Amino acid sequence: MKQKKNIRFLLPLILFLAFILRIVWVNYGLPDFFEIDEGFILMPFVHGEAPLNPYVYPQFIYLSVQAIIEIASFFNIQDYNVYLLIGRFLNNLYALIQVFMVFLIARRAYSKPVGYIAAFLLAVLPIHISLSSALRPDMPMTLMVLVGIYYLLGLLEKEYLRLKDYLIFSLIFALALSIKYPAAAILIPFLYTHYLKRKGKEFFTKELFIVFIATAVLFVLFNPMHFIEFKRFFATMRYEASLQSGSSPFAYKHSTWIKYLIILIGGFGEGLWLISILAIFRVLLNRGKEDVLILLFPLVYFGVMGYYRVANARFILPVVPFMVIISADLIFSLFERFRHLKRGKLIILVSGFLLLSPTLYRSGKYVAWAVQKDTRFIALEWVEENIPPGSSLLIDSAGSPINILLSNGDPRYSLFDMDWMQPPEKHITMIEEGRFDYFILDRYQRSRYPEKAVRPVHEYIENNFEKIAEFRVKIGKPKIFHHIYYRRNNPHTLIFSAHKNEELKISFDQESAVRINSH
């Protein structure tokens, strides 16, 4: 009885762990949002445009922001940093509910122990943690897809389906599409469920057609401006379609599929990633209808997203919970097989440590890195205290807080504001003409745009001017490839002076500022 009571508290403990790993760094980058998509979502409100206008995303995310603004305004709060913080907290909430939904799906499809394992794995997964604290539609879309798959698993348990069952799925489907369009991949698991329940009878039924009609009607109700301003909506969809490149899995350097597999290695940890791949083959070779239903969505989604020429860690997020579920089932099966052996417990302990240590290491390192004060804010404070008022600054990032928040009135120029797609010689000529007193660079811009104007300008400045300050984090960031959002934060930041024999030179490592050889 005591053991059952202890198990009863296991899920709340897992949810609490997931909450802590996500909430402690929810305010990163504030009071200046660095995330491109966060700025993109908030800009319509900054410019006073209606949230019902059809942008790249459907209207759910914009209506969510509008609701946040209205509630904040009721309390006389008019600060976009507060809006953003609340939006990130909501994303944290979606992430926590995902952990709970993974438990429910795994319990329904397999067993309660598998549910606990799946919930724990998702709670500590590096890629899930790293994507949970940003105002973007990927997290709520993934949650709605999980709700849909859980509902479809429930339909498999029924002897036959009624019209009500089809209408409820239509509502879930329309809501998912109203968050983000790639949720359309959930249609394939639904068709598979419909096929199984027909038991060899006619596939094309009136209920099936009702699902498509009801989903279309609900989508129009949820997104009316898509059709009121249809030309704008169509132009947006045409742009999205232009991102399709016909990526081939055999073209290693340019294959989006390969890039996503590499993202998942860093996002899962090598051991858990290997388990997930084995679990996929296990389902494909010899498993039941529940396994197939769980695997259908990630396979279809992965296949479609692999045709995009742009690979980004957040795009692959909807695949993650399903890989975790089937991995949890494989882990529990191995546990059951080995625990009765003579040295089974030792084998399980050692194997578990080897498999999960890369995952836990990356998660811990990510959180420790994210809670540090951003180097760009440290550089901002140093600039305000040490650079003479009226100095002309060249900054390599338009989104830098030095460019946005510096209060001393210094003339500021950004490579991005100065038509940075022009040949680097144009910018170097401006530097040679003596237009700038100080140069503020960060390694993220140089690494992301090596072939454009940024890298040559960086190299020219570093080779011809004196470095007077340098800021870097004490705890580095873990490797999750193509995760451009976390790569932007806490960059190695350097400040150079056009004036020789600058008195102050420092190197900052998050613990202390050290003066180095002043002239």
Side-chain angles (χ1 to χ4, degrees):
M1 182 68 74
K2 187 176 180 181
Q3 187 176 4
K4 286 187 176 180
K5 285 185 178 180
N6 291 336
I7 292 175
R8 188 185 305 169
F9 289 105
L10 186 56
L11 184 59
L13 286 174
I14 291 171
L15 291 171
F16 180 72
L17 173 64
F19 175 75
I20 293 299
L21 289 174
R22 289 156 177 80
I23 198 66
V24 292
W25 58 281
V26 72
N27 65 334
Y28 75 98
L30 297 180
D32 174 32
F33 50 85
F34 299 119
E35 304 288 4
I36 295 173
D37 289 303
E38 287 183 333
F40 186 78
I41 290 167
L42 283 176
M43 278 304 106
F45 299 93
V46 173
H47 296 305
E49 295 192 40
L52 292 177
N53 288 344
Y55 300 97
V56 172
Y57 302 125
Q59 272 136 26
F60 172 85
I61 193 70
Y62 300 106
L63 290 174
S64 298
V65 174
Q66 183 65 45
I68 290 170
I69 292 174
E70 294 298 331
I71 293 171
S73 298
F74 180 79
F75 294 98
N76 295 319
I77 299 173
Q78 295 181 341
D79 186 339
Y80 283 94
N81 292 297
V82 175
Y83 305 155
L84 187 55
L85 192 61
I86 296 172
R88 289 179 177 181
F89 180 80
L90 277 176
N91 237 39
N92 272 189
L93 183 60
Y94 298 140
L96 286 180
I97 300 174
Q98 279 187 40
V99 174
F100 181 65
M101 287 304 305
V102 160
F103 168 78
L104 294 180
I105 292 172
R107 185 182 66 176
R108 173 169 276 181
Y110 304 113
S111 65
K112 187 176 282 188
V114 175
Y116 287 128
I117 296 171
F120 173 75
L121 292 179
L122 191 63
V124 300
L125 205 64
I127 191 170
H128 199 265
I129 292 171
S130 68
L131 294 170
S132 62
S133 289
L135 180 60
R136 291 191 291 262
D138 305 272
M139 197 63 73
M141 182 195 77
T142 303
L143 173 59
M144 191 53 62
V145 169
L146 287 170
V147 170
I149 296 299
Y150 180 73
Y151 180 72
L152 293 177
L153 284 169
L155 295 185
L156 285 181
E157 299 172 357
K158 293 189 173 185
E159 186 176 349
Y160 60 91
L161 303 184
R162 299 179 179 180
L163 178 60
K164 177 185 72 173
D165 302 317
Y166 287 93
L167 291 175
I168 292 174
F169 176 77
S170 297
L171 176 62
I172 295 171
F173 189 21
L175 284 171
L177 286 175
S178 296
I179 300 173
K180 201 175 180 189
Y181 306 117
I186 198 177
L187 180 63
I188 305 303
F190 162 72
L191 293 176
Y192 174 71
T193 304
H194 174 72
Y195 168 78
L196 291 176
K197 302 313 292 184
R198 292 305 296 162
K199 297 180 180 177
K201 299 177 184 178
E202 185 181 355
F203 180 79
F204 296 101
T205 63
K206 67 175 183 179
E207 290 85 1
L208 187 61
F209 288 108
I210 287 173
V211 166
F212 289 104
I213 294 170
T215 301
V217 171
L218 289 169
F219 183 78
V220 172
L221 290 175
F222 296 150
N223 304 271
M225 294 302 293
H226 281 54
F227 301 92
I228 295 173
E229 296 191 14
F230 185 76
K231 286 185 178 180
R232 186 174 180 180
F233 171 62
F234 181 76
T236 300
M237 291 298 95
R238 188 168 60 181
Y239 167 75
E240 289 293 304
S242 71
L243 297 177
Q244 296 278 358
S245 64
S247 173
S248 168
F250 304 105
Y252 175 76
K253 288 186 178 180
H254 304 288
S255 171
T256 308
W257 283 298
I258 297 297
K259 291 176 182 176
Y260 280 138
L261 288 175
I262 295 172
I263 289 171
L264 291 172
I265 293 174
F268 273 62
E270 290 79 1
L272 189 55
W273 179 84
L274 180 60
I275 284 288
S276 69
I277 297 301
L278 294 175
I280 291 172
F281 282 108
R282 179 171 176 251
V283 170
L284 293 175
L285 293 175
N286 186 25
R287 298 300 290 172
K289 57 187 178 182
E290 291 85 0
D291 303 85
V292 175
L293 180 61
I294 289 172
L295 192 58
L296 265 177
F297 174 82
L299 285 181
V300 173
Y301 182 90
F302 183 85
V304 172
M305 295 305 293
Y307 273 94
Y308 271 65
R309 66 169 177 262
V310 179
N312 192 310
R314 70 181 179 89
F315 293 164
I316 206 64
L317 176 65
V319 167
V320 169
F322 299 99
M323 292 181 67
V324 164
I325 291 169
I326 60 174
S327 299
D329 181 49
L330 177 56
I331 290 171
F332 183 69
S333 298
L334 294 172
F335 172 79
E336 288 292 293
R337 177 169 296 184
F338 285 103
R339 73 187 181 98
H340 298 296
L341 298 178
K342 185 177 181 181
R343 297 184 179 177
K345 291 183 179 179
L346 178 62
I347 294 172
I348 292 168
L349 185 64
V350 173
S351 301
F353 174 78
L354 293 175
L355 288 173
L356 289 180
S357 55
T359 302
L360 298 176
Y361 169 76
R362 278 191 173 91
S363 297
K365 189 175 183 182
Y366 184 89
V367 173
W369 166 79
V371 298
Q372 298 174 109
K373 187 174 182 179
D374 197 288
T375 51
R376 289 166 295 189
F377 283 103
I378 300 168
L380 169 64
E381 293 171 359
W382 187 88
V383 167
E384 289 183 320
E385 292 175 4
N386 294 281
I387 288 184
S391 301
S392 177
L393 310 179
L394 175 63
I395 306 166
D396 67 350
S397 172
S400 168
I402 300 174
N403 196 35
I404 296 172
L405 303 177
L406 189 62
S407 59
N408 63 6
D410 294 345
R412 297 183 289 281
Y413 304 89
S414 165
L415 286 178
F416 282 73
D417 293 337
M418 290 164 41
D419 197 8
W420 68 282
M421 293 297 289
Q422 293 294 323
E425 290 78 12
K426 178 180 177 180
H427 308 307
I428 292 173
T429 299
M430 294 178 68
I431 295 170
E432 290 174 338
E433 290 172 354
R435 296 193 185 186
F436 308 107
D437 299 306
Y438 297 92
F439 311 93
I440 302 168
L441 316 178
D442 72 58
R443 290 290 189 227
Y444 167 75
Q445 301 296 338
R446 174 170 172 167
S447 64
R448 189 179 181 193
Y449 304 104
E451 74 287 359
K452 305 274 182 20
V454 173
R455 189 184 187 97
V457 175
H458 271 228
E459 291 176 346
Y460 179 84
I461 293 170
E462 291 173 11
N463 291 332
N464 292 277
F465 297 98
E466 237 177 344
K467 180 174 66 177
I468 59 171
E470 183 174 4
F471 308 90
R472 66 172 80 214
V473 290
K474 181 176 177 58
I475 300 174
K477 53 192 87 168
K479 292 288 185 183
I480 304 178
F481 296 96
H482 300 284
H483 196 330
I484 65 170
Y485 299 100
Y486 96 99
R487 281 170 52 203
R488 290 172 63 89
N489 299 324
N490 260 327
H492 180 189
T493 303
L494 307 98
I495 301 177
F496 293 82
S497 172
H499 309 288
K500 292 186 177 181
N501 300 321
E502 191 79 27
E503 290 188 2
L504 181 64
K505 298 182 180 180
I506 68 163
S507 177
F508 193 88
D509 66 358
Q510 286 282 27
E511 285 191 339
S512 60
V514 182
R515 196 184 295 256
I516 57 173
N517 296 332
S518 53
H519 293 276

